[in-house]
Amino acid sequence: MSFDFGQMVEHLIGSVYGSSSRRDVEKKQDDVLYDAAIVGYGPAGGVMATLLAEKHDLKVCIVDPNIEKRWIPNYGVWVEEWESLDRSLQIGLGDCLDRTWEVTDSFFGGSHGIPTSERCRIKRPYARVSRDKMQANLKTRLAAAGVTKIASKVDASTVKHTAEGSTVELENGMKLSCRLLVDCSGHYSELVERDGVNNPGVQIAYGAEVEVKDGHAPYDEKAMLFMDYRTDYINPEESSPEEQRELRDIPTFLYAMPMGKASNGRSKIFFEETSLVARPPIAFDLCKERLYKRLKHHGIEVTKVVDEELCYIPMGGPIPKLDQRVVAFGGASGLVHAATGYMHVRMLAASRGVAEAIATELKSGGPGASRAAARRAYQALWSAKAKLQRDFHVFGGEFLMAQDTSILRGFFNGFFKLPLPLWAGFLSGYPNLPHNEHQQEWYKRFAFGFQFFLKLAPAVQLKLMAAGALNGWRDGLIRSVSPMSILEDSQDLGFDAEIEAIRLKAAATEADSAVSEETDGNRGPGSDVTPESGPQISDQSTTKELMTL
């Protein structure tokens, strides 16, 4: 008796699905219309899928060619913000922290009369998010909520929108249908249209989690090192003029997280040399070279490299067009803080409002639900107030990337001399985060800027005044700190009317289509007019490419 492996597989599939035909199984899978299809499975995609499925009971799938891959970056967060988000979202964030420090230290000495040894200590707890814990937590929640994972890549050129939703073809040959397409694929999305030329600054960092021989003095093992902008690790007498110019004109700082003791008793620490923002970005190799020169200068001997990390974060640039059908979220939506590079907590702060906006419109149903859901999601992301606040950040980012090391030392030395609620509000810089109330109105941003200006060294003040005079209009500063903001804010007053107009237009189009269809039907046989249909499902996919969590 011959052995037919294909027949055996077909029989097994039939026994599971109640049919002996593999093609019947394909049709079962292809007939699925998802409420939301999430493109990209990083933290943003995982959180959005969790909220839509778990909190709003929508039918959701996630598409990613590397859907089981370990998430790459480590995230640092202020504990106050993380705890606030944990209370708000209720998706288990409180169990995802790796390590917490009660204080953070920074060093800005070497310029403006600031001693090299002077330490800026901030009594505000900081923590590292465990990427593994967060990924495992969301994976469990997605499975419980019935979210489907599809291990394939979206072909952006095949996206089509109809009145009922969207379709897109995948590299595996499958055609996916959904009521709303949500793009969480990252900063360089192929699915999202941006409102302008995309030329952001970029934050670059080389990081390494290491074991060290005799501790890591002069840094306190009980403190998280937030910024060390000193350049005394390079001896001017032993370096070339070119190296000195590079050190001055291409600023980088050290960021470090003490991680306790390894099993062999040695100290563990995560070091990261970072270029805050530059255009074009600097080289990873330069960051790595500077990191090890710093460690050598301080007598910190690395005995083992446990893990390495390369960080590349676009900052600034245009936000997505707010009237498009594909909803951008996470890096694709411009949520990165344009002056600091923070995104993780900002993504989480935006997630609840975006998920509620999507669910509200899709559950309402009726004509125009898909388009209305996309528009309401973008309104939740980028209200007029949020856009004006972002303009303020964009000016800050453009200013910072144009400065040398000395000016940046003076800038941050003054920044952290402000009252904590003021600087914390700027660093968070997004609705629903602690202290953001100090930044949401134009006059509060103006007051913040005035107080900040008074804390700065004269050389930094001159640079800031020049940037405001030359680039304040272009980079959004004038609009964000003047009564002009009131005009921008007023645009949101008509938002509900805009949604109603979307619904009415869709209803009118549907009515016209019904009349046309009835007329065509009365023509009898031979009519060559075919009524427009909604999203159709291809029968070219196979069940092995669908994995339910």
Side-chain angles (χ1 to χ4, degrees):
M1 179 178 177
S2 64
F3 177 76
D4 188 335
F5 180 75
Q7 188 177 52
M8 183 193 77
V9 171
E10 188 167 286
H11 176 74
L12 287 173
I13 292 175
S15 67
V16 172
Y17 290 97
S19 169
S20 61
S21 169
R22 179 172 179 170
R23 191 169 185 81
D24 286 345
V25 176
E26 293 175 1
K27 286 182 178 180
K28 284 179 182 292
Q29 297 288 3
D30 286 344
D31 284 342
V32 174
L33 173 65
Y34 293 98
D35 291 313
I38 311 294
V39 180
Y41 182 43
V47 167
M48 184 51 58
T50 297
L51 293 177
L52 292 175
E54 179 184 290
K55 305 301 183 184
H56 298 287
D57 200 29
L58 296 183
K59 190 172 188 62
V60 178
C61 70
I62 301 176
V63 183
D64 192 307
N66 302 304
I67 206 155
E68 299 297 341
K69 185 177 180 180
R70 184 191 188 200
W71 292 347
I72 296 174
N74 288 296
Y75 299 99
V77 296
W78 298 104
V79 173
E80 180 183 14
E81 294 176 355
W82 194 257
E83 290 178 345
S84 173
L85 291 165
D86 183 36
R87 291 190 297 270
S88 172
L89 297 179
Q90 296 292 304
I91 56 171
L93 296 180
D95 299 325
C96 297
L97 294 182
D98 208 12
R99 194 169 186 86
T100 301
W101 302 269
E102 291 303 312
V103 296
T104 63
D105 288 344
S106 294
F107 295 89
F108 305 118
S111 302
H112 314 291
I114 307 167
T116 304
S117 60
E118 183 173 300
R119 180 180 65 188
C120 171
R121 171 155 286 187
I122 298 168
K123 295 181 180 179
R124 191 187 190 203
Y126 199 82
R128 186 168 91 158
V129 178
S130 168
R131 53 187 169 179
D132 294 332
K133 289 180 181 178
M134 188 168 182
Q135 188 171 9
N137 169 55
L138 292 178
K139 182 176 182 178
T140 300
R141 289 179 174 274
L142 293 171
V147 174
T148 299
K149 292 193 298 185
I150 304 175
S152 189
K153 184 179 180 181
V154 165
D155 182 350
S157 66
T158 66
V159 175
K160 295 180 181 178
H161 304 297
T162 69
E164 294 86 357
S166 303
T167 62
V168 63
E169 294 178 14
L170 309 183
E171 281 191 349
N172 62 17
M174 179 181 175
K175 188 174 183 180
L176 186 68
S177 293
C178 60
R179 299 173 71 195
L180 190 68
L181 195 60
V182 182
D183 182 17
C184 301
S185 62
H187 305 283
Y188 294 106
S189 164
E190 297 178 348
L191 298 172
V192 173
E193 294 182 75
R194 295 192 177 274
D195 195 14
V197 177
N198 192 23
N199 185 29
V202 178
Q203 183 172 116
I204 285 287
Y206 167 80
E209 186 168 325
V210 301
E211 294 178 8
V212 296
K213 186 176 181 180
D214 297 313
H216 34 78
Y219 304 119
D220 189 338
E221 295 190 20
K222 296 181 180 179
M224 183 269 169
L225 179 67
F226 195 67
M227 284 180 163
D228 184 353
Y229 259 114
R230 296 174 296 182
T231 54
D232 59 340
Y233 62 93
I234 299 293
N235 187 338
E237 297 179 359
E238 298 176 0
S239 58
S240 67
E242 182 181 352
E243 188 175 9
Q244 285 296 309
R245 282 195 301 272
E246 186 179 73
L247 200 62
R248 179 193 67 210
D249 296 338
I250 306 177
T252 61
F253 65 90
L254 180 64
Y255 170 100
M257 293 175 162
M259 301 299 293
K261 298 293 184 181
S263 57
N264 58 11
R266 295 196 186 279
S267 295
K268 287 196 305 181
I269 187 165
F270 176 76
F271 289 112
E272 189 172 75
E273 189 77 18
T274 302
S275 163
L276 180 61
V277 59
R279 185 191 297 120
I282 75 169
F284 287 114
D285 286 345
L286 178 59
C287 287
K288 183 175 182 178
E289 177 186 327
R290 288 186 177 182
L291 170 60
Y292 282 99
K293 284 183 177 180
R294 280 189 197 269
L295 300 186
K296 182 179 180 180
H297 170 74
H298 291 306
I300 300 173
E301 182 181 344
V302 174
T303 59
K304 180 181 180 181
V305 177
V306 179
D307 194 16
E308 291 183 301
E309 176 180 308
L310 302 178
C311 185
Y312 184 99
I313 305 174
M315 295 165 54
I319 62 174
K321 291 183 177 180
L322 305 185
D323 59 351
Q324 62 187 301
R325 292 286 296 275
V326 177
V327 174
F329 189 65
S333 66
L335 272 172
V336 175
H337 195 301
T340 67
Y342 278 139
M343 188 188 79
H344 204 53
V345 294
R346 289 162 61 86
M347 175 274 291
L348 291 166
S351 63
R352 179 176 174 178
V354 172
E356 288 177 350
I358 291 171
T360 295
E361 295 298 336
L362 292 185
K363 287 185 175 182
S364 294
S370 177
R371 184 179 291 277
R375 183 64 190 92
R376 191 173 289 279
Y378 275 119
Q379 179 66 12
L381 267 172
W382 293 119
S383 65
K385 285 187 183 299
K387 286 188 289 183
L388 286 163
Q389 203 168 341
R390 187 179 189 271
D391 287 341
F392 194 50
H393 302 157
V394 168
F395 172 79
E398 293 293 330
F399 173 79
L400 291 171
M401 77 173 77
Q403 308 310 313
D404 64 21
T405 301
S406 174
I407 295 298
L408 292 186
R409 288 177 187 145
F411 181 94
F412 287 109
N413 183 66
F415 183 82
F416 287 111
K417 282 183 166 54
L418 288 166
L420 188 151
L422 293 186
W423 64 254
F426 181 85
L427 287 186
S428 62
Y430 196 80
N432 307 317
L433 288 172
H435 308 297
N436 190 61
E437 67 274 11
H438 297 288
Q439 297 280 329
Q440 282 191 288
E441 305 294 341
W442 73 266
Y443 58 89
K444 292 186 177 181
R445 290 189 290 271
F446 181 88
F448 163 84
F450 181 72
Q451 292 181 65
F452 178 36
F453 185 82
L454 296 179
K455 300 288 185 183
L456 297 173
V460 185
Q461 289 177 331
L462 288 173
K463 288 283 188 179
L464 199 54
M465 285 191 295
L470 295 173
N471 306 319
W473 181 262
R474 182 197 68 187
D475 295 335
L477 175 67
I478 306 302
R479 184 169 57 247
S480 66
V481 296
S482 73
M484 292 177 63
S485 293
I486 298 172
L487 296 176
E488 298 283 337
D489 281 345
S490 66
Q491 295 176 11
D492 284 353
L493 298 176
F495 177 71
D496 287 338
E498 182 182 347
I499 293 295
E500 183 65 20
I502 289 172
R503 293 282 193 170
L504 290 173
K505 182 177 179 180
T509 301
E510 186 175 287
D512 289 345
S513 178
V515 170
S516 176
E517 186 175 335
E518 183 178 349
T519 302
D520 293 340
N522 291 335
R523 293 180 183 177
S527 172
D528 59 356
V529 180
T530 303
E532 180 182 359
S533 62
Q536 298 297 309
I537 312 295
S538 167
D539 61 357
Q540 302 300 312
S541 66
T542 61
T543 56
K544 68 179 180 181
E545 290 150 340
L546 283 171
M547 300 176 291
T548 302
L549 279 165

